[in-house]
Amino acid sequence: MEKDKLEADKLHKIRHSLSHVLAKAVKGLYPQAKLAIGPVIDNGFYYDIDFGKEKISSDDLEKIEKDMKAIINQNLEFKSFVLGIDEAIDREKKLEEKYKVELIEDLKKAGEKEVSYYQVGDFVDLCKGPHVENTQQIDTRAFSLFKLAGAYWRGDENREMLTRIYGLAFLNKKELLDYKKMLEEAEKRDHRKLGKELGLFVFSDVVGKGLPMLTEKGASMRRTLEKFIVDEEIKRGYRHVITPDLAKLELYKKSGHYPYYKDSMYAPIKIDEEEFMLRPMACPHHFEMYLTEPRSYRDLPFKMAELAKLYRYEQSGELSGLMRVRSFCLADAHIICADNRQAKEEVAGVLDLIDFVCQKLGLEPDKDYWYRLSLGDRQDEKKYHKNDKAWDEAESSLRQLLKDKGSKFVEAEAEAAFYGPKIDVQMKNVLGKEDTAFTVQWDFVMPERFKLVYTSQAGKEERAIVIHRSSIGAIERVMAFLIEFYAGRFPLWLSPVQVKLISVGEKHIEAVKSLSQEFKEQGIRSEIDISDETVGNKIRKSASEKIPYILVIGDKEVNSSKLAIRVRGEKDMIEIEKAEFIKKIKQEIEDFK
Amino acid sequence: MEKDKLEADKLHKIRHSLSHVLAKAVKGLYPQAKLAIGPVIDNGFYYDIDFGKEKISSDDLEKIEKDMKAIINQNLEFKSFVLGIDEAIDREKKLEEKYKVELIEDLKKAGEKEVSYYQVGDFVDLCKGPHVENTQQIDTRAFSLFKLAGAYWRGDENREMLTRIYGLAFLNKKELLDYKKMLEEAEKRDHRKLGKELGLFVFSDVVGKGLPMLTEKGASMRRTLEKFIVDEEIKRGYRHVITPDLAKLELYKKSGHYPYYKDSMYAPIKIDEEEFMLRPMACPHHFEMYLTEPRSYRDLPFKMAELAKLYRYEQSGELSGLMRVRSFCLADAHIICADNRQAKEEVAGVLDLIDFVCQKLGLEPDKDYWYRLSLGDRQDEKKYHKNDKAWDEAESSLRQLLKDKGSKFVEAEAEAAFYGPKIDVQMKNVLGKEDTAFTVQWDFVMPERFKLVYTSQAGKEERAIVIHRSSIGAIERVMAFLIEFYAGRFPLWLSPVQVKLISVGEKHIEAVKSLSQEFKEQGIRSEIDISDETVGNKIRKSASEKIPYILVIGDKEVNSSKLAIRVRGEKDMIEIEKAEFIKKIKQEIEDFK
C-alpha cells in the first residue's frame, strides 16, 4: 500500500511536470500562443492553449512531442519561487497571458496574497506544484501526446474556445504500451462504433440528440432483456405494473422531488390548466398505486416493478450513444415493507436477484461487479434527511447483509440518497471507468411524505418502509455495457441475429427464404444473405457481424435434410440434420434460462 | 330499404315531437325555466333547460314523464307557422327566453329573414320541424325519460351550465325494452366498471386525468397482447423497432403534421435551445430510420413496426377509462413499397393479418367487424392533397382488394387521410356505437416530403409509396373493447389470473403458496386466496372475478397428487392429476397460438 502511494505520487509529479514541458515546447514553436491551464488527469495530463489565429492539427503533435523529448533530455531542474499577487498580475499582463491574469485576479478576489511559480529552463509557469526535481526523472519512452480537442475556457460556452492537447504518461514504457493497447481494444469495443457496425441503433439530427432509435436488431436485444427480467421478477413475486410516463407537477411536489430535482427534469407541459412533467423517476406513481386501496400486513411485502420509461435532462455535451441518453427505460421496483426486519429480508432478495441477473449476463462477482455501501453524511442536514436512529438501523442492516454474503464491498461516505443509505452494484467499463450499474436503496422518508401505511396484525395503522431498486439497470445502459463487454459477440440468447442463411447461387434463394421463414416460425432469429457476392465473401461478412451460426445453402442442402453450419469462432463447416439443429439451438436458448 | 327509411323518418318525427312535449311539461311544472335547444339523438332526444335557482334531480323525472304522458293523451295537433325574424326576436324577448333570442339573432346575422315555429296545444317553440301531426301518433309506452346531465350552453365552458334531460324513444314498447336491456347489459360490461371490479387499472388525481395506471393484472393482459402481436408481426417479416417518444419540433414541420396537427399535440418542451414534442404519431420517426441508409429495390417492401407510445391531446371531458386517454400505445407500422403493385400486395397482407388478429381475439368477420373504404373528396383541396391520378389508382386498388376478399364493406366519402385513401376496420362497442378499430392507409404524400426513395433494379432512383397501418389498434383501446366484449370472462390466454388457489384451512396455506410458486415457474398466472373466509365464500368471490380455473386445496389435495378444480361456468368440482392439469392448461394456452 505504502509503495503504491509512493508510486502514485511519483506518477502525479511526472504528469504534472510533463504538462509544463508541453507548454514550454509549445511556446518555443508558437510564441504567440497563450496558456490557460494544464492539469493532471487519470491517464496523463493536458494543457488548454489559445493558439490565436494559428490552427494546429494532430499532425503537429509529433513535432511538439519531439521538442518535449529534447527538453527532457536537457536534464533541466524544476525550481519554484513565490510572487506577491499584484506583482504576478503585472508579470502576466506584460506577457499578455490573459488567462493567467484572470486566474490570478480570481485568486486575489478569493483573498490570496501571493502565488507560486515553477521554472524549468527558461520557462516559467504559475503553479502550485509539486513537480519532479529534474526532467531526468521522466522516462521519455513512457509518455506520448495523444489527441487534440476543443475546450471552452472555464467550461463556459460563451467564452473562448481553446485547444486542448492531451498527453498519456506512465512510469515506464511497458505501462504506456499496455494502456495504449487497452485503449485500442476499448475503441474496438466502443458501443457507439460497434452499435453502428452491427446495425443496432441509429440517430437522426431531426429526431434529436440523446434519442437513439433501435433498429430491429437493437430492439430484439432490448425485448430479450426486458422479457428476461419481467419473467424472472414475476416468478419472484413482483407485481409488474405499467404506469404513465407523465404526471402532474403536483405529484413531484408531493414527493419532494420538485424543486430539488428540478434541474434534472424537463420543463412542464401545460394541458388545459394543469402542468404535467415527463417523469424522471417512477416511485411517486408506484406509491399512488399502493394508495388506491387500503393495505394490510398480509399484503406486505408489496413488490411493484415496472419497465419504467424515465426522462432526465442531460447536457448535450454529456450525451453518448446508449450510455447517456435523454429518455431511458429503468427496470425499476419499489418494495413496501412492514418493518426493518422485512426490509432487510427484501434487500437480501434483491441482492440475490442481482446475482442471478449478473450470472445470466455472464458477469462474475468480485471480478466484473462488486458492492458499494453508500452512506449518508450525518453532518449534512441539507443533503440528508435528519433521523439518526433510522440511518443507524438502515446502515447497519445493509452492512450486515453484505458481510453475511461474504462479497467484496467498499463503504462510501456521503454517497447515499437523501432518504436513506443504499447498496450500489459497481462495474467498470472497457476504459476502466467505475460506474453504478444497479442500486438498492433504503427509504424511511417517502413513506412519511406519501403516508404509506398498512394495518398491522394488531389492527393498528403502521408506517411502512420502502426499498427502491433497479435490477437490470437502465436497459439502454446495460445494452451499451453488454455490447462492450462482449465486443459484439453476444451469447446466443441475446444475439439479435442467431442464424445467418447464405445462398450459394441464384437457384438456392428460394430455399434460403423458406428456411428463414421456418426459423422465424420457431422463434429463432435469422437473417438471409442472398446477394450476388461469393460464398467466401458472404461468410466473411457474416463472421464480421459476429453471428453465432452461419448456414450455407447450396445444391447439397437443397436436396437433403442436412445443413452445412459454421459455428462462430470455428473455421470448419459441420454437417447436421435440420431437425437436430433446430432442436439444438432451441435447447441452447432454453438452457440459458 | 324503403320501409326502413319510412320507419326512420317516423321515429325521427316522434323523437323530435317528444322533445317539444318534454319542454311543454317542464314549462307547466317550472314556469320560470328557460329553454335552450332540444334535438333528436341516436336513442331518443334531449332538451337543455336553464332551471335558474331551482335545482331538479332525477327524482323529478317521474313527475315530468307523467305530465308528458298526459299531454300526449290529449291528442294534440302539431301546427307550424312562420314569423318575421325581428318579430320572432321581439316575441322571445318578451317571454324572456334569452337562449332563443340568441339563437334567432344568430340566424339573423347569417342572413335569415324569417323563422318557423311549431305549436302543440298552448306550447309554442322555435323549430324547423318535422313533427308528427298529432300526439296520438306517439306510443306513450315506447318512451321514457332517462337521465339528467349538465351541459354548457353552446358547449362553451365559459357560458351558462344548463340541465340536460335525456329521453329514450322508440317506435314501440318492445324496442324500448330491448334497448333498456341492452343498456343494462352494456352498463354491466362497461370497461370502467369491470376494470375496477377486476382490478385491472386505477387512476390517481395527483397523477392526472386520462393517465391510467395498469395494475399487475391489467399489465399482464397488456403484455400478453403486445407479445402476441410482436411475435406474429416478426413472423410476417416486420422489422420491429423501438424509437423515442419525443422528437424535435422540426421533425413535425418536415412531415407537415405541424402546424396542421397542432391542436392534437401537447405544447413543446424546450431542452437547451431546441423545442421537442411528445409525438402524436410515429411515422416521421420510421421515415428517418429508413433514411439512415441507402435502400435498394431488394430491401423493399421495407416493413417497420413498433409498439409506439403516442400522445394526443384530449379534452378532459372526452377522457374515458382506457378508451380515451392522453397517452396510448399503438401497434403501428409503416411499409415502404416500391410501387402500386407492391403496395396493393402489402395492403392485402395487412388485411390478412387483421383477420388473423381478430380471429385470435374471438371476433367474427362481417359480424363483429367489417370494412370501410374511406375516400377523399376531390373538391376539397384544403383537406386532401391534390393528385387525381394517385387518388384514382389508390382508391381503385383498395376497392378491388375488398371486392376480391368478398367481405362486407361500405364506402365513405371524405373520410380519407390527407395523404391518401384508406381501409378502416370498423367495430361496434357494447352501446352499438361504431368506431374505427384498425386502419390501413395509402400514402403518396409523405414519400415526397421525406424523399423516401430507393434504387431500382435498373439503377435509377425511384420514389416509394408508404402504407401506414395499425394491427391491434391502440393497446389501451383494444383492452377496453375486449373487457366489454368478453364482459371480463377472458379466454384463458388473455386472463390476468388463470388459476385461483384457495386454501381450506390454516394448515393448507403453505401448500397453496408452494403450488402457486410452481405455477409461476411454469409461466401460469395464478393468485392465492388464503384469507379466513369460508371455502364457499372464497369460491364465490373467485367466480365473480371470472377466473378460468379455481383450485381448492384441503387435506385431500395436500396428501395426494390430485387437484380439485372448478372450471369457469361449471358448477361441479372435478378431480385431476396435478401434472395433467399443468399440461392441459399449458396446452390450452399454446393452442391459442
Side-chain angles (χ1 to χ4, degrees):
Chain A
M1 214 53 179
E2 197 52 25
K3 185 169 160 266
D4 282 0
K5 174 83 176 67
L6 281 173
E7 295 226 314
D9 285 351
K10 189 177 162 199
L11 186 55
H12 185 88
K13 282 182 191 169
I14 289 175
R15 286 171 173 170
H16 202 171
S17 303
L18 275 164
S19 110
H20 282 238
V21 172
L22 166 60
K24 177 167 158 54
V26 165
K27 288 292 272 189
L29 288 163
Y30 311 90
Q32 298 311 316
K34 303 295 169 210
L35 302 172
I37 53 163
V40 168
I41 52 173
D42 256 6
N43 55 8
F45 58 94
Y46 70 74
Y47 217 117
D48 284 349
I49 300 165
D50 184 345
F51 282 90
K53 274 172 232 152
E54 197 128 15
K55 287 273 164 289
I56 74 157
S57 73
S58 30
D59 294 341
D60 301 311
L61 293 185
E62 207 177 315
K63 189 173 53 183
I64 300 171
E65 190 176 304
K66 206 177 135 215
D67 281 13
M68 285 174 74
K69 287 184 178 165
I71 291 165
I72 292 166
N73 287 332
Q74 290 169 36
N75 298 343
L76 301 174
E77 264 182 60
F78 269 88
K79 285 176 283 193
S80 77
F81 60 88
V82 167
L83 286 184
I85 200 122
D86 291 320
E87 200 182 343
I89 293 172
D90 279 351
R91 177 186 189 281
E92 303 299 345
K93 274 189 177 160
K94 264 179 218 148
L95 294 168
E96 294 181 353
E97 291 283 357
K98 61 175 184 172
Y99 303 104
K100 302 289 179 187
V101 172
E102 188 176 328
L103 288 172
I104 307 171
E105 279 177 341
D106 282 357
L107 289 171
K108 187 179 172 183
K109 273 180 214 148
E112 297 291 337
K113 301 277 181 261
E114 48 182 38
V115 291
S116 72
Y117 276 85
Y118 271 82
Q119 175 157 11
V120 57
D122 58 352
F123 178 72
V124 172
D125 199 358
L126 176 75
C127 181
K128 274 204 289 200
H131 285 284
V132 294
E133 283 129 39
N134 190 297
T135 56
Q136 69 192 358
Q137 287 164 273
I138 303 171
D139 184 343
T140 53
R141 299 160 311 164
F143 89 92
S144 78
L145 293 187
F146 176 42
K147 62 174 180 184
L148 286 178
Y152 290 110
W153 169 234
R154 307 209 128 173
D156 178 348
E157 60 185 42
N158 299 312
R159 303 293 305 270
E160 294 86 343
M161 168 62 91
L162 309 173
T163 301
R164 177 171 295 176
I165 302 179
Y166 282 99
L168 301 175
F170 292 88
L171 287 174
N172 55 54
K173 187 179 167 188
K174 185 180 176 301
E175 279 181 19
L176 175 67
L177 290 181
D178 284 352
Y179 187 82
K180 280 188 166 176
K181 216 164 136 187
M182 189 277 289
L183 272 189
E184 225 171 86
E185 182 62 25
E187 201 179 320
K188 263 192 268 169
R189 287 171 180 253
D190 187 322
H191 83 279
R192 289 165 303 181
K193 184 171 163 282
L194 271 179
K196 199 175 169 165
E197 281 170 20
L198 301 175
L200 298 175
F201 55 92
V202 292
F203 285 91
S204 148
D205 282 344
V206 67
V207 168
K209 285 176 219 146
L211 298 172
M213 298 191 282
L214 301 183
T215 63
E216 70 272 24
K217 289 182 191 170
S220 113
M221 227 180 125
R222 175 162 163 180
R223 272 195 309 276
T224 303
L225 288 167
E226 289 184 349
K227 183 166 185 327
F228 159 63
I229 198 65
V230 171
D231 286 355
E232 185 58 32
E233 290 179 349
I234 287 174
K235 276 183 201 161
R236 289 175 185 246
Y238 284 93
R239 301 161 185 258
H240 246 280
V241 303
I242 302 178
T243 64
D245 304 351
L246 43 166
K248 291 200 305 202
L249 177 52
E250 207 184 320
L251 182 64
Y252 303 102
K253 288 186 174 162
K254 184 174 177 183
S255 70
H257 285 103
Y258 196 92
Y260 302 106
Y261 215 84
K262 205 178 145 203
D263 291 343
S264 307
M265 294 169 88
Y266 294 115
I269 306 165
K270 217 166 182 179
I271 305 180
D272 295 340
E273 288 313 301
E274 296 173 324
E275 287 193 307
F276 286 77
M277 306 294 298
L278 280 173
R279 66 171 170 190
M281 72 283 299
C283 32
H285 284 85
H286 290 184
F287 300 154
E288 286 297 312
M289 274 195 106
Y290 179 83
L291 293 171
T292 54
E293 273 183 52
R295 311 288 179 181
S296 103
Y297 70 98
R298 283 181 198 268
D299 301 319
L300 269 43
F302 194 89
K303 300 157 74 167
M304 277 168 291
E306 180 169 12
L307 292 174
K309 210 66 179 296
L310 306 178
Y311 300 81
R312 289 191 195 161
Y313 173 69
E314 299 276 356
Q315 285 187 299
S316 58
E318 296 292 318
L319 299 169
S320 166
L322 296 182
M323 198 60 93
R324 289 291 275 274
V325 291
R326 283 182 163 159
S327 155
F328 58 95
C329 175
L330 188 70
D332 204 359
H334 299 93
I335 309 176
I336 319 285
C337 305
D339 49 29
N340 281 346
R341 189 194 50 77
Q342 198 171 68
K344 196 175 160 189
E345 267 173 35
E346 288 304 315
V347 173
V350 171
L351 294 180
D352 185 71
L353 172 62
I354 287 174
D355 276 338
F356 176 84
V357 167
C358 286
Q359 185 215 322
K360 293 297 181 188
L361 295 181
L363 309 180
E364 280 181 45
D366 296 347
K367 175 175 164 272
D368 297 318
Y369 68 98
W370 62 95
Y371 302 99
R372 182 177 79 182
L373 176 59
S374 298
L375 308 168
D377 174 356
R378 305 288 175 88
Q379 308 313 316
D380 191 345
E381 292 184 22
K382 261 190 193 160
K383 201 171 155 198
Y384 299 102
H385 181 81
K386 182 75 183 163
N387 185 342
D388 282 340
K389 183 164 167 286
W391 279 99
D392 281 342
E393 279 173 358
E395 289 183 358
S396 76
S397 292
L398 294 182
R399 187 177 291 111
Q400 194 55 49
L401 272 169
L402 287 174
K403 282 188 179 158
D404 292 350
K405 262 184 85 69
S407 303
K408 185 173 156 185
F409 77 96
V410 295
E411 300 206 4
E413 288 289 336
E415 286 283 352
F418 76 91
Y419 43 65
K422 59 186 177 133
I423 294 173
D424 293 318
V425 180
Q426 302 295 99
M427 293 187 191
K428 268 190 184 148
N429 73 6
V430 274
L431 280 168
K433 195 178 159 286
E434 182 178 333
D435 221 337
T436 297
F438 319 133
T439 177
V440 198
Q441 313 181 337
W442 190 293
D443 175 359
F444 36 74
V445 178
M446 290 294 161
E448 268 178 57
R449 288 239 165 99
F450 277 84
K451 299 197 174 53
L452 301 176
V453 296
Y454 65 95
T455 309
S456 74
Q457 196 154 8
K460 274 177 59 190
E461 185 177 274
E462 300 278 358
R463 180 137 301 164
I465 288 175
V466 168
I467 302 299
H468 305 239
R469 51 114 277 209
S470 64
S471 57
I472 203 169
I475 306 282
E476 288 80 359
R477 231 170 172 181
V478 84
M479 277 178 69
F481 177 85
L482 291 171
I483 293 168
E484 299 187 348
F485 184 77
Y486 285 109
R489 288 169 54 92
F490 303 113
L492 186 68
W493 70 284
L494 270 179
S495 290
V497 179
Q498 295 166 322
V499 183
K500 182 89 161 210
L501 301 165
I502 288 175
S503 57
V504 172
E506 192 77 21
K507 59 182 171 171
H508 312 113
I509 289 180
E510 275 319 303
V512 160
K513 284 185 177 170
S514 114
L515 187 57
S516 165
Q517 188 60 31
E518 197 176 335
F519 285 152
K520 267 188 192 159
E521 303 279 344
Q522 298 278 350
I524 298 168
R525 298 187 288 268
S526 69
E527 202 178 47
I528 61 176
D529 186 348
I530 50 170
S531 64
D532 304 332
E533 285 293 325
T534 64
V535 172
N537 280 345
K538 289 201 252 189
I539 290 180
R540 267 186 294 280
K541 184 164 179 288
S542 301
S544 78
E545 290 164 352
K546 301 164 211 287
I547 290 166
Y549 295 105
I550 301 171
L551 271 64
V552 179
I553 313 288
D555 282 342
K556 198 171 151 200
E557 290 71 30
V558 167
N559 296 320
S560 82
S561 61
K562 284 209 163 46
L563 296 175
I565 290 179
R566 192 174 185 276
V567 179
R568 184 171 60 192
E570 316 263 317
K571 283 247 161 87
D572 299 327
M573 303 287 294
I574 54 168
E575 228 179 41
I576 187 170
E577 283 287 332
K578 185 174 80 179
E580 201 189 322
F581 175 70
I582 292 179
K583 202 176 142 198
K584 177 181 141 57
I585 196 169
K586 287 176 88 168
Q587 190 60 48
E588 199 180 331
I589 296 168
E590 193 62 29
D591 282 349
F592 140 77
K593 294 177 195 160
Chain B
M1 215 50 178
E2 195 53 23
K3 186 167 160 271
D4 281 1
K5 174 81 175 70
L6 281 174
E7 295 225 316
D9 286 350
K10 189 177 162 198
L11 185 55
H12 185 89
K13 282 182 189 168
I14 288 173
R15 286 169 172 172
H16 201 172
S17 303
L18 275 164
S19 110
H20 282 239
V21 171
L22 165 60
K24 177 167 159 55
V26 166
K27 289 292 271 188
L29 288 163
Y30 310 90
Q32 297 311 316
K34 304 294 169 211
L35 302 173
I37 52 160
V40 169
I41 51 172
D42 256 6
N43 57 8
F45 59 94
Y46 69 75
Y47 217 117
D48 284 348
I49 300 164
D50 185 344
F51 282 91
K53 274 173 235 152
E54 196 128 17
K55 286 275 163 290
I56 76 156
S57 74
S58 31
D59 295 342
D60 300 311
L61 293 184
E62 207 178 316
K63 187 172 57 183
I64 300 171
E65 189 176 306
K66 205 177 133 214
D67 280 14
M68 285 174 74
K69 287 186 177 164
I71 292 166
I72 292 166
N73 288 332
Q74 288 171 35
N75 298 344
L76 300 174
E77 266 182 60
F78 269 87
K79 285 176 286 192
S80 77
F81 59 89
V82 167
L83 286 185
I85 200 121
D86 290 320
E87 199 181 343
I89 292 171
D90 279 351
R91 179 184 187 280
E92 303 299 345
K93 273 189 178 162
K94 264 179 216 147
L95 294 169
E96 295 179 354
E97 291 282 358
K98 63 174 182 170
Y99 303 104
K100 300 291 180 189
V101 172
E102 189 176 327
L103 288 172
I104 306 171
E105 279 175 342
D106 281 357
L107 289 172
K108 188 178 170 184
K109 274 180 214 149
E112 296 292 334
K113 301 276 181 265
E114 48 183 39
V115 291
S116 70
Y117 274 86
Y118 271 82
Q119 174 155 13
V120 57
D122 58 353
F123 177 73
V124 173
D125 199 358
L126 175 74
C127 182
K128 274 204 290 202
H131 285 284
V132 295
E133 284 132 37
N134 192 296
T135 57
Q136 70 193 358
Q137 286 163 274
I138 304 172
D139 184 342
T140 53
R141 298 160 312 164
F143 89 93
S144 77
L145 292 187
F146 175 40
K147 63 174 180 185
L148 286 178
Y152 289 109
W153 168 232
R154 306 208 129 173
D156 179 348
E157 60 185 43
N158 298 313
R159 304 292 307 269
E160 295 87 342
M161 169 61 90
L162 309 173
T163 301
R164 177 172 295 178
I165 303 178
Y166 282 99
L168 301 173
F170 292 89
L171 287 174
N172 54 53
K173 187 179 166 186
K174 185 179 175 304
E175 279 181 20
L176 176 66
L177 291 180
D178 284 352
Y179 186 82
K180 281 187 164 176
K181 218 164 135 186
M182 189 276 288
L183 272 189
E184 227 170 87
E185 183 61 25
E187 202 179 319
K188 262 191 269 170
R189 287 171 180 253
D190 187 321
H191 84 278
R192 291 166 303 183
K193 185 171 163 282
L194 271 179
K196 199 175 170 165
E197 282 170 18
L198 302 175
L200 298 175
F201 56 91
V202 293
F203 285 92
S204 147
D205 281 344
V206 68
V207 168
K209 288 176 219 148
L211 297 172
M213 298 191 281
L214 301 184
T215 63
E216 69 272 24
K217 289 182 190 171
S220 113
M221 224 178 130
R222 175 162 162 182
R223 272 195 309 277
T224 304
L225 288 167
E226 288 184 351
K227 184 166 184 330
F228 159 63
I229 198 67
V230 171
D231 286 354
E232 184 60 31
E233 289 178 349
I234 287 176
K235 278 184 200 161
R236 289 174 186 245
Y238 284 93
R239 299 161 185 259
H240 245 281
V241 302
I242 302 178
T243 63
D245 305 352
L246 40 169
K248 291 202 303 204
L249 178 52
E250 208 185 320
L251 182 64
Y252 303 101
K253 286 185 175 162
K254 184 175 177 182
S255 69
H257 285 105
Y258 195 91
Y260 302 106
Y261 215 84
K262 205 178 144 201
D263 291 343
S264 307
M265 294 167 90
Y266 293 115
I269 306 166
K270 217 165 181 179
I271 304 181
D272 295 338
E273 289 311 301
E274 296 173 322
E275 287 193 307
F276 286 77
M277 306 294 298
L278 281 173
R279 67 171 170 190
M281 72 283 297
C283 31
H285 284 83
H286 290 184
F287 300 155
E288 286 297 312
M289 276 196 105
Y290 179 82
L291 292 172
T292 54
E293 274 182 52
R295 310 288 179 181
S296 101
Y297 70 97
R298 283 181 198 267
D299 301 318
L300 270 43
F302 194 88
K303 299 157 76 167
M304 277 168 291
E306 180 169 11
L307 291 175
K309 210 68 179 295
L310 306 178
Y311 300 80
R312 291 194 192 158
Y313 174 69
E314 299 276 355
Q315 287 188 299
S316 58
E318 297 291 319
L319 299 169
S320 167
L322 296 182
M323 198 60 95
R324 289 289 276 274
V325 290
R326 281 181 164 160
S327 154
F328 58 95
C329 175
L330 188 69
D332 204 0
H334 299 92
I335 309 174
I336 319 286
C337 304
D339 50 27
N340 280 346
R341 188 193 51 75
Q342 199 172 67
K344 195 175 162 189
E345 265 174 37
E346 288 304 315
V347 173
V350 172
L351 294 180
D352 185 70
L353 172 62
I354 289 173
D355 276 338
F356 176 84
V357 167
C358 287
Q359 184 215 323
K360 292 297 180 188
L361 295 181
L363 309 179
E364 279 181 46
D366 296 346
K367 174 174 164 278
D368 297 317
Y369 69 98
W370 61 95
Y371 302 99
R372 183 178 77 182
L373 176 59
S374 296
L375 309 169
D377 174 356
R378 306 289 174 88
Q379 308 314 313
D380 190 344
E381 292 185 22
K382 262 191 192 159
K383 203 171 154 197
Y384 299 103
H385 181 82
K386 183 74 184 166
N387 184 342
D388 281 340
K389 184 163 166 287
W391 279 99
D392 281 342
E393 278 172 359
E395 288 183 359
S396 77
S397 293
L398 295 181
R399 187 179 290 110
Q400 193 55 49
L401 272 169
L402 287 174
K403 280 188 180 158
D404 291 350
K405 261 183 86 68
S407 302
K408 185 173 155 185
F409 77 96
V410 294
E411 300 205 4
E413 288 288 336
E415 287 284 352
F418 77 90
Y419 43 65
K422 60 185 176 131
I423 294 173
D424 293 318
V425 179
Q426 303 294 100
M427 293 186 190
K428 267 189 184 151
N429 74 5
V430 275
L431 280 168
K433 193 177 159 287
E434 183 178 333
D435 221 337
T436 296
F438 318 132
T439 177
V440 198
Q441 311 180 339
W442 190 293
D443 176 359
F444 36 76
V445 177
M446 289 297 161
E448 267 178 58
R449 287 237 166 100
F450 278 82
K451 299 198 177 47
L452 302 175
V453 296
Y454 65 96
T455 309
S456 73
Q457 195 154 8
K460 273 177 58 189
E461 185 176 273
E462 300 278 357
R463 180 136 301 165
I465 288 175
V466 168
I467 303 298
H468 305 239
R469 54 113 274 212
S470 65
S471 57
I472 204 170
I475 307 282
E476 289 79 0
R477 229 171 175 179
V478 83
M479 278 179 68
F481 177 84
L482 291 171
I483 294 168
E484 299 187 348
F485 184 76
Y486 284 110
R489 289 169 54 93
F490 303 114
L492 186 68
W493 71 282
L494 269 179
S495 289
V497 180
Q498 294 167 323
V499 182
K500 182 89 163 210
L501 300 166
I502 288 175
S503 58
V504 172
E506 192 76 20
K507 58 182 170 169
H508 311 114
I509 289 180
E510 276 318 304
V512 160
K513 284 184 177 171
S514 112
L515 187 57
S516 165
Q517 189 59 30
E518 197 177 336
F519 285 152
K520 267 187 192 159
E521 303 279 343
Q522 298 278 351
I524 297 169
R525 298 187 289 267
S526 69
E527 201 178 47
I528 60 175
D529 186 348
I530 51 170
S531 64
D532 305 331
E533 285 292 325
T534 64
V535 172
N537 280 346
K538 289 201 251 190
I539 292 181
R540 265 186 296 279
K541 186 165 177 288
S542 301
S544 79
E545 290 164 352
K546 303 166 211 287
I547 290 165
Y549 294 106
I550 301 171
L551 270 64
V552 180
I553 312 288
D555 283 341
K556 201 171 150 199
E557 290 72 29
V558 167
N559 297 319
S560 81
S561 61
K562 282 207 161 52
L563 296 173
I565 290 178
R566 192 175 187 274
V567 179
R568 183 171 61 192
E570 316 264 317
K571 283 250 160 86
D572 299 327
M573 304 287 294
I574 54 167
E575 228 179 42
I576 186 170
E577 283 288 332
K578 186 174 80 180
E580 200 190 324
F581 175 69
I582 292 178
K583 200 174 142 200
K584 177 181 139 59
I585 196 167
K586 286 177 88 168
Q587 190 59 49
E588 199 179 330
I589 295 167
E590 193 61 31
D591 282 351
F592 140 77
K593 295 177 193 160

